[in-house]
Amino acid sequence: MAGKKVIITGVPGVGKTTVINTAMEKIAAEGTPYQNINFGSFMFEVAAAEGLVQDRDQMRKLDRTVQKRLQKLAAEKIAAIDGNVIIDTHASVKTPNGYLAGLPEWVITAIMPDVLVLVETDNDQILVRRLSDESRVRDMEGAKSIAEHQEMNRAFAASYAMLTGCTVKIIVNADFLLDKAVEDLTATLR
């Protein structure tokens, strides 16, 4: 299909949504529109259309085989979208049992992204952002744990690139430098 598929990831609190939304406004003003899809929300819509769930909380209670089928179906539908698409998701998910691939093989190879973007910043900055964001309920963890998660995201991103041939772009969203992160993402989206 025509258009660019760009997966954008980052640990919770890195400012990924802010960077995406601001870059989308800028790139649309330049005449290059993108559709922004949150993978989890899109997967929920697929499940709801099949009558499997009525709210997002029911998603995690579905049988693993059903979840895998829904992931693949959602990825195939995203891949079939004509035009430029941003897929907002997680490279890895930190669980009590370890890190889980946010884009398992059946998802990443269905989407076949052109670029995978990792939004990162200093671990201490992420910690401060998480602590000051009263609108979200996040697991408490220290800067070392955040650093480990960002390192795991890089490892997963390299694996995804090996499976698909996509490039991996790291964009730093440092405090007081949002404009730089937005310009870097806008350049990647062009």
Side-chain angles (χ1 to χ4, degrees):
M1 289 284 154
K4 202 170 184 181
K5 302 291 187 271
V6 180
I7 295 176
I8 305 178
T9 70
V11 298
V14 76
K16 173 177 52 118
T17 302
T18 302
V19 173
I20 290 171
N21 291 341
T22 309
M24 282 186 62
E25 289 174 15
K26 188 171 184 173
I27 198 84
E30 294 176 7
T32 308
Y34 271 81
Q35 183 176 346
N36 185 12
I37 296 173
N38 177 287
F39 189 81
S41 297
F42 196 84
M43 191 173 138
F44 166 72
E45 291 170 13
V46 170
E50 290 189 11
L52 296 172
V53 295
Q54 295 172 347
D55 62 62
R56 274 191 75 157
D57 289 332
Q58 295 173 322
M59 293 290 293
R60 66 178 178 270
K61 297 176 184 172
L62 292 172
D63 178 78
R64 182 68 189 127
T65 306
V66 173
Q67 287 183 3
K68 183 176 177 179
R69 183 182 61 77
L70 289 171
Q71 282 178 322
K72 185 169 185 180
L73 184 58
E76 289 168 350
K77 287 181 181 249
I78 290 170
I81 294 172
D82 195 19
N84 298 317
V85 180
I86 289 172
I87 301 102
D88 177 352
T89 192
H90 295 282
S92 66
V93 179
K94 191 172 190 175
T95 75
N97 296 320
Y99 290 91
L100 183 66
L103 297 159
E105 180 273 335
W106 54 89
V107 171
I108 197 75
T109 57
I111 295 173
M112 291 301 288
D114 297 283
V115 182
L116 190 139
V117 175
L118 292 170
V119 179
E120 298 182 346
T121 198
D122 181 74
N123 309 312
D124 292 330
Q125 289 180 22
I126 294 170
L127 181 59
V128 169
R129 290 174 190 174
R130 287 181 183 180
L131 292 172
S132 63
D133 185 358
E134 295 177 6
S135 69
R136 303 286 302 269
V137 177
R138 302 187 197 267
D139 294 337
M140 287 307 303
E141 56 185 338
K144 284 185 180 182
S145 182
I146 293 168
E148 178 185 87
H149 197 169
Q150 289 196 114
E151 290 170 15
M152 289 300 296
N153 280 351
R154 284 185 178 204
F156 277 106
S159 298
Y160 302 149
M162 290 293 295
L163 288 169
T164 65
C166 73
T167 58
V168 176
K169 172 75 174 168
I170 297 172
I171 294 178
V172 178
N173 183 29
D175 282 348
F176 311 111
L177 296 173
L178 174 63
D179 290 344
K180 171 77 170 101
V182 168
E183 184 51 46
D184 288 349
L185 181 55
T186 303
T188 300
L189 297 174
R190 284 188 183 109

